[in-house]
Protein backbone atom coordinates (compact mmCIF):
# COMPACT_ATOMS: atom_id res chain seq x y z
CA UNK A 1 0.00 0.00 0.00
CA UNK A 2 1.30 3.46 -0.84
CA UNK A 3 -0.03 6.94 -0.24
CA UNK A 4 -0.89 9.57 -2.80
CA UNK A 5 0.16 13.18 -2.26
CA UNK A 6 -2.06 15.20 0.01
CA UNK A 7 -2.82 12.47 2.44
CA UNK A 8 -0.87 13.29 5.59
CA UNK A 9 -3.75 12.83 8.03
CA UNK A 10 -4.60 15.34 10.79
CA UNK A 11 -2.91 13.13 13.36
CA UNK A 12 0.25 13.21 15.43
CA UNK A 13 3.48 12.15 13.77
CA UNK A 14 7.17 11.89 14.61
CA UNK A 15 10.46 12.70 12.96
CA UNK A 16 11.73 9.45 11.44
CA UNK A 17 15.02 8.25 12.92
CA UNK A 18 16.88 5.38 11.31
CA UNK A 19 17.45 3.82 14.76
CA UNK A 20 13.68 3.56 15.23
CA UNK A 21 12.96 1.82 11.91
CA UNK A 22 12.46 -1.63 13.39
CA UNK A 23 10.25 -0.50 16.30
CA UNK A 24 8.25 1.78 14.03
CA UNK A 25 7.67 -0.94 11.43
CA UNK A 26 6.56 -3.32 14.19
CA UNK A 27 3.86 -0.89 15.35
CA UNK A 28 3.28 1.84 12.73
CA UNK A 29 -0.24 2.54 13.98
CA UNK A 30 1.14 4.39 16.99
CA UNK A 31 1.80 7.43 14.81
CA UNK A 32 -0.21 9.06 12.04
CA UNK A 33 2.74 9.94 9.81
CA UNK A 34 6.50 10.48 9.80
CA UNK A 35 8.50 13.51 8.77
CA UNK A 36 12.02 13.47 7.36
CA UNK A 37 14.65 16.11 6.80
CA UNK A 38 14.94 16.07 3.03
CA UNK A 39 18.73 16.54 3.04
CA UNK A 40 19.28 13.28 4.95
CA UNK A 41 17.86 11.40 1.95
CA UNK A 42 19.75 13.24 -0.77
CA UNK A 43 22.56 10.70 -0.84
CA UNK A 44 22.65 8.38 -3.85
CA UNK A 45 21.40 5.29 -2.01
CA UNK A 46 22.23 2.93 0.83
CA UNK A 47 20.57 2.07 4.14
CA UNK A 48 18.79 5.45 4.62
CA UNK A 49 16.89 5.02 1.35
CA UNK A 50 16.07 1.41 2.10
CA UNK A 51 14.76 2.15 5.62
CA UNK A 52 12.69 5.09 4.41
CA UNK A 53 11.19 3.06 1.56
CA UNK A 54 10.07 0.39 4.05
CA UNK A 55 8.51 2.97 6.38
CA UNK A 56 6.91 4.75 3.41
CA UNK A 57 5.06 1.54 2.53
CA UNK A 58 3.08 1.74 5.78
CA UNK A 59 2.96 5.43 6.76
CA UNK A 60 2.27 8.79 5.10
CA UNK A 61 5.24 11.13 4.82
CA UNK A 62 5.91 14.81 5.34
CA UNK A 63 9.07 16.10 3.61
CA UNK A 64 10.77 18.89 5.54
CA UNK A 65 13.71 20.68 3.95
CA UNK A 66 16.34 22.36 6.10
CA UNK A 67 18.91 23.46 3.53
CA UNK A 68 17.20 25.32 0.70
CA UNK A 69 18.02 28.75 2.13
CA UNK A 70 14.79 30.33 0.91
CA UNK A 71 15.66 33.63 2.55
CA UNK A 72 19.07 33.92 0.90
CA UNK A 73 19.98 37.21 -0.79
CA UNK A 74 21.37 35.26 -3.70
CA UNK A 75 19.00 33.15 -5.77
CA UNK A 76 18.04 29.62 -4.82
CA UNK A 77 20.64 26.99 -5.63
CA UNK A 78 19.12 25.25 -8.68
CA UNK A 79 21.06 22.07 -7.93
CA UNK A 80 19.65 21.88 -4.43
CA UNK A 81 16.13 22.64 -5.61
CA UNK A 82 16.48 19.83 -8.16
CA UNK A 83 17.56 17.48 -5.37
CA UNK A 84 14.49 18.44 -3.33
CA UNK A 85 12.24 17.78 -6.33
CA UNK A 86 13.94 14.41 -6.85
CA UNK A 87 13.40 13.37 -3.22
CA UNK A 88 9.74 14.46 -3.50
CA UNK A 89 9.31 12.40 -6.66
CA UNK A 90 10.91 9.38 -5.05
CA UNK A 91 9.09 9.52 -1.71
CA UNK A 92 5.68 11.01 -2.71
CA UNK A 93 5.18 13.07 0.45
CA UNK A 94 1.79 14.38 1.48
CA UNK A 95 3.37 17.67 2.59
CA UNK A 96 6.52 19.53 1.55
CA UNK A 97 7.86 22.28 3.79
CA UNK A 98 10.83 24.56 4.41
CA UNK A 99 11.81 27.40 6.74
CA UNK A 100 11.55 31.17 6.77
CA UNK A 101 15.32 31.46 7.09
CA UNK A 102 18.60 31.39 5.20
CA UNK A 103 21.52 29.01 5.66
CA UNK A 104 23.85 29.45 2.69
CA UNK A 105 25.99 32.34 1.51
CA UNK A 106 28.40 32.31 -1.42
CA UNK A 107 28.48 28.53 -1.36
CA UNK A 108 29.16 28.15 2.37
CA UNK A 109 26.46 26.23 4.24
CA UNK A 110 26.08 27.15 7.93
CA UNK A 111 23.88 24.25 9.09
CA UNK A 112 21.59 26.62 10.98
CA UNK A 113 18.38 28.51 10.28
CA UNK A 114 19.58 32.11 10.14
CA UNK A 115 17.31 35.10 10.70
CA UNK A 116 15.77 37.58 8.29
CA UNK A 117 14.70 41.19 8.80
CA UNK A 118 11.04 41.72 7.97
CA UNK A 119 10.93 44.36 5.24
CA UNK A 120 9.14 44.78 1.90
CA UNK A 121 12.35 44.02 0.06
CA UNK A 122 12.91 40.75 1.94
CA UNK A 123 9.23 39.85 1.51
CA UNK A 124 9.48 40.26 -2.27
CA UNK A 125 12.60 38.12 -2.34
CA UNK A 126 11.16 35.32 -0.19
CA UNK A 127 7.91 35.36 -2.18
CA UNK A 128 9.89 35.02 -5.41
CA UNK A 129 11.79 32.06 -3.99
CA UNK A 130 8.62 30.39 -2.67
CA UNK A 131 7.06 30.77 -6.13
CA UNK A 132 10.14 29.20 -7.65
CA UNK A 133 10.00 26.22 -5.28
CA UNK A 134 6.26 25.73 -5.76
CA UNK A 135 6.68 25.84 -9.53
CA UNK A 136 9.49 23.29 -9.41
CA UNK A 137 7.52 21.00 -7.10
CA UNK A 138 4.24 21.49 -8.95
CA UNK A 139 2.46 21.93 -5.63
CA UNK A 140 2.08 24.36 -2.76
CA UNK A 141 4.55 24.22 0.07
CA UNK A 142 4.44 25.07 3.76
CA UNK A 143 6.84 27.57 5.32
CA UNK A 144 7.74 27.45 9.01
CA UNK A 145 7.96 30.35 11.46
CA UNK A 146 11.49 30.56 12.92
CA UNK A 147 12.69 30.53 16.51
CA UNK A 148 14.15 33.96 17.18
CA UNK A 149 17.01 35.04 19.41
CA UNK A 150 17.09 38.71 18.41
CA UNK A 151 15.16 41.09 16.20
CA UNK A 152 16.50 43.35 13.44
CA UNK A 153 16.49 47.08 13.89
CA UNK A 154 15.85 47.17 10.14
CA UNK A 155 12.51 45.31 10.35
CA UNK A 156 9.48 47.36 9.34
CA UNK A 157 6.74 44.81 10.05
CA UNK A 158 5.96 42.00 12.47
CA UNK A 159 6.67 38.38 11.69
CA UNK A 160 2.93 37.60 11.61
CA UNK A 161 2.31 40.47 9.15
CA UNK A 162 5.24 39.22 7.02
CA UNK A 163 3.85 35.67 6.98
CA UNK A 164 0.29 36.86 6.25
CA UNK A 165 1.47 38.87 3.27
CA UNK A 166 3.68 36.01 2.07
CA UNK A 167 0.68 33.64 2.13
CA UNK A 168 -1.40 36.16 0.17
CA UNK A 169 1.36 36.69 -2.41
CA UNK A 170 2.30 33.05 -3.03
CA UNK A 171 -0.62 30.90 -1.90
CA UNK A 172 1.79 28.90 0.25
CA UNK A 173 0.69 27.32 3.51
CA UNK A 174 2.43 27.53 6.86
CA UNK A 175 3.86 25.28 9.51
CA UNK A 176 3.05 26.77 12.88
CA UNK A 177 5.90 25.73 15.16
CA UNK A 178 4.43 26.34 18.60
CA UNK A 179 7.76 25.74 20.31
CA UNK A 180 9.35 28.39 18.10
CA UNK A 181 6.58 30.79 19.16
CA UNK A 182 7.28 30.07 22.84
CA UNK A 183 11.05 30.45 22.33
CA UNK A 184 10.68 33.70 20.35
CA UNK A 185 8.17 35.11 22.83
CA UNK A 186 10.52 34.50 25.76
CA UNK A 187 13.55 35.86 23.90
CA UNK A 188 11.86 38.95 22.48
CA UNK A 189 9.56 39.66 25.41
CA UNK A 190 6.15 39.37 23.75
CA UNK A 191 3.11 37.31 24.70
CA UNK A 192 2.85 34.06 22.74
CA UNK A 193 -0.96 34.40 22.85
CA UNK A 194 -0.77 37.79 21.09
CA UNK A 195 1.47 36.32 18.39
CA UNK A 196 -0.93 33.41 17.86
CA UNK A 197 -3.85 35.85 17.77
CA UNK A 198 -2.19 37.64 14.84
CA UNK A 199 -0.97 34.49 13.05
CA UNK A 200 -2.75 33.62 9.77
CA UNK A 201 -4.19 30.41 11.22
CA UNK A 202 -6.29 29.65 8.13
CA UNK A 203 -3.06 28.95 6.22
CA UNK A 204 -1.67 26.48 8.75
CA UNK A 205 -1.21 23.02 7.24
CA UNK A 206 0.89 21.45 9.97
CA UNK A 207 1.96 22.11 13.55
CA UNK A 208 5.40 21.41 15.02
CA UNK A 209 6.09 20.73 18.69
CA UNK A 210 9.53 20.29 20.24
CA UNK A 211 11.59 20.77 23.37
CA UNK A 212 13.80 23.76 24.16
CA UNK A 213 16.23 24.70 26.90
CA UNK A 214 17.82 27.74 28.52
CA UNK A 215 21.24 28.87 27.35
CA UNK A 216 24.19 28.63 29.73
CA UNK A 217 23.64 32.14 31.12
CA UNK A 218 19.90 31.55 31.54
CA UNK A 219 19.13 34.64 29.46
CA UNK A 220 17.65 33.05 26.37
CA UNK A 221 15.64 30.01 25.37
CA UNK A 222 17.31 27.91 22.68
CA UNK A 223 15.34 25.76 20.23
CA UNK A 224 17.27 22.53 20.83
CA UNK A 225 14.85 19.71 19.84
CA UNK A 226 16.58 17.55 22.46
CA UNK A 227 13.88 16.83 25.01
CA UNK A 228 10.17 16.54 25.73
CA UNK A 229 7.71 19.29 24.81
CA UNK A 230 7.40 21.75 27.70
CA UNK A 231 4.18 22.33 29.67
CA UNK A 232 3.71 25.87 28.36
CA UNK A 233 4.05 24.65 24.75
CA UNK A 234 1.45 21.91 25.37
CA UNK A 235 -0.90 24.54 26.74
CA UNK A 236 -0.36 26.90 23.78
CA UNK A 237 -0.87 23.95 21.44
CA UNK A 238 -4.16 22.92 23.02
CA UNK A 239 -5.45 26.49 22.84
CA UNK A 240 -4.43 27.09 19.24
CA UNK A 241 -5.89 23.81 18.00
CA UNK A 242 -9.17 24.70 19.77
CA UNK A 243 -9.10 28.14 18.16
CA UNK A 244 -8.48 26.66 14.73
CA UNK A 245 -11.31 24.26 15.47
CA UNK A 246 -10.06 21.35 13.36
CA UNK A 247 -7.33 18.77 13.91
CA UNK A 248 -4.06 19.31 12.00
CA UNK A 249 -1.05 17.09 11.30
CA UNK A 250 1.13 17.63 14.35
CA UNK A 251 4.79 16.67 14.47
CA UNK A 252 6.88 15.88 17.55
CA UNK A 253 10.43 16.96 16.70
CA UNK A 254 13.16 15.36 18.80
CA UNK A 255 16.38 15.46 16.78
CA UNK A 256 19.18 15.45 19.37
CA UNK A 257 19.61 13.11 22.35
CA UNK A 258 17.01 11.02 20.52
CA UNK A 259 15.02 8.83 22.97
CA UNK A 260 13.75 5.28 22.40
CA UNK A 261 10.85 4.95 19.95
CA UNK A 262 8.44 4.32 22.81
CA UNK A 263 9.16 7.70 24.45
CA UNK A 264 8.70 9.50 21.15
CA UNK A 265 5.49 7.60 20.36
CA UNK A 266 4.14 8.44 23.84
CA UNK A 267 4.80 12.13 23.17
CA UNK A 268 2.90 11.80 19.87
CA UNK A 269 0.02 10.08 21.67
CA UNK A 270 -0.21 13.08 23.99
CA UNK A 271 -0.70 15.34 20.96
CA UNK A 272 -3.12 12.80 19.48
CA UNK A 273 -5.31 13.03 22.60
CA UNK A 274 -5.62 16.79 22.09
CA UNK A 275 -6.44 16.31 18.40
CA UNK A 276 -9.03 13.67 19.29
CA UNK A 277 -10.75 16.08 21.68
CA UNK A 278 -10.95 18.75 18.96
CA UNK A 279 -12.19 16.17 16.46
CA UNK A 280 -14.95 15.13 18.88
CA UNK A 281 -16.02 18.74 19.35
CA UNK A 282 -15.95 19.28 15.58
CA UNK A 283 -18.33 16.32 15.14
CA UNK A 284 -20.93 17.71 17.55
CA UNK B 1 44.32 51.97 15.50
CA UNK B 2 40.52 52.01 15.86
CA UNK B 3 38.58 48.84 15.11
CA UNK B 4 36.48 49.07 11.94
CA UNK B 5 32.81 49.71 12.71
CA UNK B 6 30.68 46.55 12.75
CA UNK B 7 28.79 45.83 9.53
CA UNK B 8 25.00 45.66 9.40
CA UNK B 9 23.52 42.33 10.50
CA UNK B 10 20.87 42.40 7.76
CA UNK B 11 23.59 42.15 5.11
CA UNK B 12 24.04 38.40 4.76
CA UNK B 13 27.66 38.80 3.68
CA UNK B 14 28.41 40.52 7.00
CA UNK B 15 26.40 38.00 9.03
CA UNK B 16 28.10 35.09 7.28
CA UNK B 17 31.58 36.57 7.72
CA UNK B 18 30.98 37.09 11.45
CA UNK B 19 29.77 33.51 11.86
CA UNK B 20 33.13 32.21 10.65
CA UNK B 21 35.48 34.92 11.95
CA UNK B 22 35.28 35.48 15.68
CA UNK B 23 36.99 38.88 15.39
CA UNK B 24 34.08 40.29 13.38
CA UNK B 25 30.91 41.81 14.82
CA UNK B 26 27.57 42.87 13.39
CA UNK B 27 25.31 45.78 14.35
CA UNK B 28 21.56 46.11 14.06
CA UNK B 29 20.38 43.23 16.24
CA UNK B 30 18.01 44.30 18.99
CA UNK B 31 16.08 42.65 21.79
CA UNK B 32 12.29 42.72 21.79
CA UNK B 33 12.21 46.28 23.05
CA UNK B 34 14.45 47.87 20.46
CA UNK B 35 17.57 47.89 22.65
CA UNK B 36 20.82 46.97 20.93
CA UNK B 37 21.65 43.31 21.64
CA UNK B 38 24.85 42.52 19.71
CA UNK B 39 25.78 39.70 22.11
CA UNK B 40 22.79 37.70 20.90
CA UNK B 41 24.66 37.07 17.64
CA UNK B 42 26.61 34.50 19.66
CA UNK B 43 23.62 32.13 19.67
CA UNK B 44 23.93 31.61 15.92
CA UNK B 45 27.73 31.50 15.92
CA UNK B 46 27.77 28.98 18.76
CA UNK B 47 25.07 26.83 17.18
CA UNK B 48 26.81 26.78 13.83
CA UNK B 49 30.20 25.90 15.32
CA UNK B 50 28.86 23.30 17.74
CA UNK B 51 26.54 21.62 15.24
CA UNK B 52 29.25 21.28 12.61
CA UNK B 53 31.85 20.08 15.12
CA UNK B 54 29.27 17.54 16.34
CA UNK B 55 28.69 16.45 12.75
CA UNK B 56 32.44 15.86 12.33
CA UNK B 57 32.55 13.99 15.64
CA UNK B 58 29.77 11.71 14.43
CA UNK B 59 31.45 11.18 11.05
CA UNK B 60 34.91 10.43 12.51
CA UNK B 61 34.34 8.43 15.74
CA UNK B 62 37.57 6.41 15.64
CA UNK B 63 39.63 9.49 14.78
CA UNK B 64 38.03 11.24 17.74
CA UNK B 65 38.83 8.31 20.02
CA UNK B 66 42.46 8.37 18.88
CA UNK B 67 42.85 12.14 19.29
CA UNK B 68 40.85 12.44 22.50
CA UNK B 69 37.66 14.50 22.72
CA UNK B 70 39.29 17.86 23.52
CA UNK B 71 41.98 17.76 20.85
CA UNK B 72 39.50 16.48 18.28
CA UNK B 73 36.99 19.23 19.17
CA UNK B 74 39.65 21.93 18.80
CA UNK B 75 40.75 20.50 15.45
CA UNK B 76 37.13 20.23 14.30
CA UNK B 77 36.34 23.85 15.20
CA UNK B 78 39.50 25.03 13.47
CA UNK B 79 38.37 23.14 10.37
CA UNK B 80 34.80 24.51 10.59
CA UNK B 81 36.11 28.10 10.58
CA UNK B 82 38.40 27.55 7.63
CA UNK B 83 36.42 25.07 5.62
CA UNK B 84 32.69 25.37 6.28
CA UNK B 85 30.48 22.94 4.35
CA UNK B 86 30.08 23.73 0.65
CA UNK B 87 26.80 21.83 0.46
CA UNK B 88 23.65 21.42 2.57
CA UNK B 89 24.26 17.66 2.34
CA UNK B 90 26.09 17.23 5.63
CA UNK B 91 26.87 13.62 4.74
CA UNK B 92 29.45 15.04 2.32
CA UNK B 93 31.10 17.29 4.93
CA UNK B 94 34.63 16.43 6.00
CA UNK B 95 36.02 15.18 2.68
CA UNK B 96 39.37 16.84 3.36
CA UNK B 97 39.27 16.73 7.16
CA UNK B 98 41.98 14.05 6.97
CA UNK B 99 44.23 16.44 5.01
CA UNK B 100 43.50 19.21 7.52
CA UNK B 101 44.50 17.13 10.54
CA UNK B 102 47.54 15.80 8.67
CA UNK B 103 48.85 19.40 8.79
CA UNK B 104 48.51 19.63 12.59
CA UNK B 105 52.03 19.70 14.10
CA UNK B 106 50.75 17.77 17.12
CA UNK B 107 49.79 14.82 14.93
CA UNK B 108 53.05 14.72 12.93
CA UNK B 109 54.38 11.74 14.96
CA UNK B 110 51.10 9.87 14.36
CA UNK B 111 50.61 9.67 10.59
CA UNK B 112 48.16 6.79 11.04
CA UNK B 113 45.58 9.18 12.55
CA UNK B 114 44.83 11.07 9.29
CA UNK B 115 44.69 7.66 7.61
CA UNK B 116 41.97 6.61 10.04
CA UNK B 117 40.04 9.77 9.15
CA UNK B 118 40.46 8.98 5.45
CA UNK B 119 39.11 5.47 6.00
CA UNK B 120 36.16 6.73 8.05
CA UNK B 121 35.16 9.22 5.36
CA UNK B 122 35.52 6.52 2.73
CA UNK B 123 33.17 4.27 4.71
CA UNK B 124 30.66 7.11 5.03
CA UNK B 125 30.80 7.71 1.29
CA UNK B 126 30.24 4.01 0.67
CA UNK B 127 27.28 4.03 3.08
CA UNK B 128 25.50 6.69 1.00
CA UNK B 129 26.63 5.47 -2.43
CA UNK B 130 24.17 4.36 -5.09
CA UNK B 131 22.78 0.86 -4.77
CA UNK B 132 23.84 -1.68 -7.39
CA UNK B 133 23.89 -5.45 -7.61
CA UNK B 134 27.51 -6.59 -7.31
CA UNK B 135 29.08 -8.70 -10.05
CA UNK B 136 29.09 -12.38 -9.02
CA UNK B 137 31.89 -14.90 -9.64
CA UNK B 138 29.57 -16.88 -11.92
CA UNK B 139 29.17 -13.79 -14.16
CA UNK B 140 32.89 -14.09 -14.81
CA UNK B 141 32.73 -17.84 -15.36
CA UNK B 142 30.35 -17.20 -18.28
CA UNK B 143 33.07 -15.35 -20.24
CA UNK B 144 35.20 -17.08 -22.86
CA UNK B 145 38.59 -17.94 -21.39
CA UNK B 146 40.54 -16.42 -24.29
CA UNK B 147 38.70 -13.11 -23.83
CA UNK B 148 39.53 -12.84 -20.11
CA UNK B 149 42.69 -10.71 -20.47
CA UNK B 150 40.55 -8.05 -22.17
CA UNK B 151 37.96 -8.04 -19.37
CA UNK B 152 37.31 -4.58 -17.95
CA UNK B 153 35.37 -4.15 -14.72
CA UNK B 154 33.13 -1.29 -13.66
CA UNK B 155 33.80 -0.49 -10.02
CA UNK B 156 30.71 -0.81 -7.84
CA UNK B 157 29.46 2.69 -6.84
CA UNK B 158 30.39 2.04 -3.20
CA UNK B 159 33.82 0.48 -3.87
CA UNK B 160 37.11 2.22 -3.14
CA UNK B 161 40.69 1.17 -2.59
CA UNK B 162 42.56 3.11 0.05
CA UNK B 163 46.33 2.98 0.57
CA UNK B 164 47.04 3.20 4.32
CA UNK B 165 50.85 2.81 4.52
CA UNK B 166 51.23 4.26 8.03
CA UNK B 167 49.14 1.65 9.80
CA UNK B 168 45.78 3.42 9.55
CA UNK B 169 43.90 0.18 8.96
CA UNK B 170 45.03 -1.43 12.23
CA UNK B 171 44.49 1.83 14.13
CA UNK B 172 40.95 2.04 12.80
CA UNK B 173 40.22 -1.61 13.59
CA UNK B 174 41.41 -1.16 17.18
CA UNK B 175 39.23 1.94 17.59
CA UNK B 176 36.17 0.81 15.67
CA UNK B 177 32.92 0.08 17.47
CA UNK B 178 33.08 -2.83 18.14
CA UNK B 179 36.89 -3.16 17.83
CA UNK B 180 38.34 -5.74 15.44
CA UNK B 181 41.65 -7.60 15.39
CA UNK B 182 44.23 -5.30 13.82
CA UNK B 183 45.59 -6.19 10.40
CA UNK B 184 49.16 -5.26 9.38
CA UNK B 185 48.17 -4.79 5.73
CA UNK B 186 48.93 -1.41 4.10
CA UNK B 187 45.72 -1.04 2.10
CA UNK B 188 41.98 -1.47 2.53
CA UNK B 189 39.19 -2.26 0.12
CA UNK B 190 35.94 -0.53 1.13
CA UNK B 191 32.74 -1.97 -0.34
CA UNK B 192 29.01 -2.09 0.30
CA UNK B 193 27.61 -5.01 -1.70
CA UNK B 194 24.20 -4.60 -0.02
CA UNK B 195 23.48 -2.71 3.22
CA UNK B 196 26.64 -3.25 5.26
CA UNK B 197 29.88 -1.40 4.59
CA UNK B 198 32.81 -3.82 4.54
CA UNK B 199 36.51 -3.15 5.01
CA UNK B 200 38.86 -5.79 3.62
CA UNK B 201 42.63 -5.69 4.27
CA UNK B 202 44.80 -5.95 1.14
CA UNK B 203 48.54 -6.60 0.85
CA UNK B 204 50.67 -4.17 -1.16
CA UNK B 205 50.84 -6.70 -4.01
CA UNK B 206 47.08 -7.24 -3.97
CA UNK B 207 46.52 -3.47 -4.00
CA UNK B 208 48.88 -3.13 -6.99
CA UNK B 209 46.57 -5.46 -8.89
CA UNK B 210 43.24 -4.15 -7.51
CA UNK B 211 43.98 -0.47 -8.19
CA UNK B 212 44.23 -0.61 -12.00
CA UNK B 213 41.38 -3.11 -12.13
CA UNK B 214 39.09 -0.77 -10.15
CA UNK B 215 40.20 2.09 -12.40
CA UNK B 216 38.89 0.17 -15.41
CA UNK B 217 42.16 -1.18 -16.85
CA UNK B 218 41.87 -4.61 -18.57
CA UNK B 219 42.52 -7.72 -16.50
CA UNK B 220 45.63 -8.76 -18.45
CA UNK B 221 47.23 -5.33 -18.19
CA UNK B 222 46.38 -5.10 -14.47
CA UNK B 223 47.94 -8.49 -13.82
CA UNK B 224 51.12 -7.41 -15.60
CA UNK B 225 51.38 -4.43 -13.23
CA UNK B 226 51.30 -6.68 -10.18
CA UNK B 227 53.87 -9.42 -10.61
CA UNK B 228 53.79 -10.45 -6.96
CA UNK B 229 50.05 -10.77 -6.64
CA UNK B 230 48.17 -14.05 -6.63
CA UNK B 231 45.72 -12.67 -9.15
CA UNK B 232 43.23 -15.53 -8.96
CA UNK B 233 43.04 -15.17 -5.19
CA UNK B 234 42.80 -11.35 -5.26
CA UNK B 235 40.18 -11.39 -8.00
CA UNK B 236 38.07 -13.82 -5.99
CA UNK B 237 38.35 -11.54 -2.93
CA UNK B 238 37.33 -8.51 -5.01
CA UNK B 239 34.32 -10.37 -6.40
CA UNK B 240 33.36 -11.81 -3.02
CA UNK B 241 33.43 -8.33 -1.41
CA UNK B 242 31.34 -6.73 -4.15
CA UNK B 243 33.99 -4.47 -5.68
CA UNK B 244 32.49 -4.53 -9.19
CA UNK B 245 29.07 -4.24 -10.75
CA UNK B 246 29.78 -5.05 -14.42
CA UNK B 247 32.30 -6.72 -16.68
CA UNK B 248 32.79 -6.40 -20.42
CA UNK B 249 35.21 -8.06 -22.82
CA UNK B 250 36.54 -7.09 -26.20
CA UNK B 251 35.68 -9.82 -28.68
CA UNK B 252 38.69 -11.15 -30.58
CA UNK B 253 38.35 -10.00 -34.20
Amino acid sequence: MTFAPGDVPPRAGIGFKHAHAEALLADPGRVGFVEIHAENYMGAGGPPHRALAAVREVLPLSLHGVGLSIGAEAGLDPAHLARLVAVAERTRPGLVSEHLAWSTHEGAYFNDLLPLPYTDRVLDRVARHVDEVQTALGRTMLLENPSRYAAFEASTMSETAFLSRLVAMTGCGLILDVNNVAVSAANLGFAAEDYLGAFPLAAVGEIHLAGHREDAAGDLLIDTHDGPVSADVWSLYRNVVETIGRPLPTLIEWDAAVPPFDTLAAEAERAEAILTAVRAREAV
Amino acid sequence: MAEPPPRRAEAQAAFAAALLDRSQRVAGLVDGHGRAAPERFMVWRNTMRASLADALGAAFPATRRLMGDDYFRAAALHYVEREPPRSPLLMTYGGNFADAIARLPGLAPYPFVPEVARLEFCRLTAYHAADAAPLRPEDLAALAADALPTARFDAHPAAALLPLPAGGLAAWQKNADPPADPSPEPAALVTRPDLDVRVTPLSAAAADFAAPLLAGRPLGESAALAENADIVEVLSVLLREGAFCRVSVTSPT
Side-chain angles (χ1 to χ4, degrees), chain B residues 61-153:
Chain B
T63 309
R64 193 183 67 215
R65 225 162 279 142
L66 278 160
M67 292 174 71
D69 284 343
D70 292 347
Y71 189 29
F72 181 88
R73 186 78 172 178
L77 288 171
H78 189 79
Y79 179 74
V80 166
E81 283 174 7
R82 276 154 194 78
E83 307 196 44
R86 304 301 296 176
S87 160
L89 275 59
L90 273 195
M91 63 189 74
T92 64
Y93 188 46
N96 54 1
F97 184 62
D99 298 332
I101 63 173
R103 291 191 293 269
L104 294 175
L107 281 186
Y110 312 101
F112 56 87
V113 177
E115 287 190 355
V116 170
R118 212 156 272 138
L119 178 53
E120 292 197 289
F121 191 78
C122 190
R123 292 185 75 246
L124 204 56
T125 304
Y127 183 83
H128 291 287
D131 299 307
L135 189 73
R136 299 160 307 168
E138 50 268 40
D139 298 326
L140 207 57
L143 301 175
D146 62 343
L148 271 181
T150 73
R152 289 175 190 266
F153 296 87

Side-chain angles (χ1 to χ4, degrees), chain A residues 18 39 43-47 50 71-73 102 105-112 115 125 149 151-153 187-188 220, chain B residues 8 10 12-13 15-16 28-30 32 40 43-44 48 51 85-87 89-91 127-131 192 194-195:
Chain A
H18 200 156
E39 283 70 13
R50 200 83 66 93
E73 281 170 14
W102 63 284
H105 184 74
E106 290 186 346
Y109 172 67
F110 299 107
N111 196 36
D112 194 15
R125 179 171 85 223
Y149 304 107
F152 285 90
E153 210 168 36
N187 291 339
L188 297 180
L220 293 170
Chain B
R8 299 295 299 178
E10 59 269 27
Q12 290 179 359
F15 201 101
L29 293 176
V30 291
R40 293 193 176 196
V43 175
W44 291 290
M48 182 220 49
S51 74
R86 304 301 296 176
S87 160
L89 275 59
L90 273 195
M91 63 189 74
Y127 183 83
H128 291 287
D131 299 307
R192 204 199 82 230
D194 186 33
L195 286 179

Side-chain angles (χ1 to χ4, degrees), chain A:
Chain A
M1 171 173 189
T2 55
F3 295 85
D7 65 356
V8 168
R11 289 191 52 198
I14 58 173
F16 172 55
K17 302 295 167 199
H18 200 156
H20 294 158
E22 204 175 315
L24 179 62
L25 288 169
D27 197 3
R30 286 192 74 181
V31 300
F33 68 98
V34 291
E35 184 160 294
I36 56 166
H37 286 177
E39 283 70 13
N40 291 344
Y41 297 88
M42 289 181 180
H49 289 226
R50 200 83 66 93
L52 177 61
V55 168
R56 186 67 189 87
E57 288 298 310
V58 294
L59 281 169
L61 177 75
S62 167
L63 181 63
H64 191 48
V66 297
L68 194 54
S69 200
I70 277 189
E73 281 170 14
L76 295 177
D77 174 2
H80 198 65
L81 181 55
R83 286 192 285 259
L84 182 67
V85 170
V87 174
E89 283 172 355
R90 197 173 73 232
T91 60
R92 296 158 290 113
L95 297 168
V96 181
S97 55
E98 250 287 352
H99 298 83
L100 178 59
W102 63 284
S103 54
T104 302
H105 184 74
E106 290 186 346
Y109 172 67
F110 299 107
N111 196 36
D112 194 15
L113 299 165
L114 301 168
L116 291 166
Y118 300 133
T119 64
D120 288 324
R121 206 161 64 100
V122 175
L123 179 63
D124 286 343
R125 179 171 85 223
V126 173
R128 218 166 43 239
H129 291 168
V130 168
D131 278 339
E132 213 179 308
V133 179
Q134 294 189 139
T135 302
L137 287 167
R139 64 195 293 170
T140 57
M141 67 180 303
L142 307 178
L143 211 63
E144 176 177 337
N145 60 298
S147 48
R148 300 167 74 193
Y149 304 107
F152 285 90
E153 210 168 36
S155 286
T156 56
M157 68 184 99
S158 67
E159 185 170 285
T160 50
F162 187 96
L163 288 169
S164 300
R165 289 175 62 185
L166 184 66
V167 166
M169 289 165 82
T170 64
C172 75
L174 299 173
I175 287 181
L176 171 58
D177 188 317
V178 180
N179 181 57
N180 289 355
V181 174
V183 164
S184 301
N187 291 339
L188 297 180
F190 61 76
E193 292 77 7
D194 293 347
Y195 178 97
L196 291 171
F199 199 86
L201 295 179
V204 175
E206 183 185 347
I207 295 181
H208 275 184
L209 300 174
H212 60 249
R213 62 178 63 241
E214 283 187 359
D215 70 346
D219 296 333
L220 293 170
L221 292 186
I222 309 292
D223 178 30
T224 45
H225 295 193
D226 64 349
V229 177
S230 69
D232 57 325
V233 169
W234 279 121
S235 156
L236 288 169
Y237 171 63
R238 182 187 302 272
N239 290 341
V240 81
V241 174
E242 283 175 1
T243 304
I244 292 171
R246 63 191 158 92
L248 282 164
T250 300
L251 180 78
I252 305 293
E253 292 184 294
W254 197 327
D255 300 316
V258 177
F261 171 69
D262 202 55
T263 308
L264 200 52
E267 205 64 348
E269 280 155 2
R270 201 169 160 186
E272 191 73 51
I274 292 169
L275 293 171
T276 301
V278 171
R279 202 174 287 123
R281 192 170 312 179
E282 193 186 29
V284 171

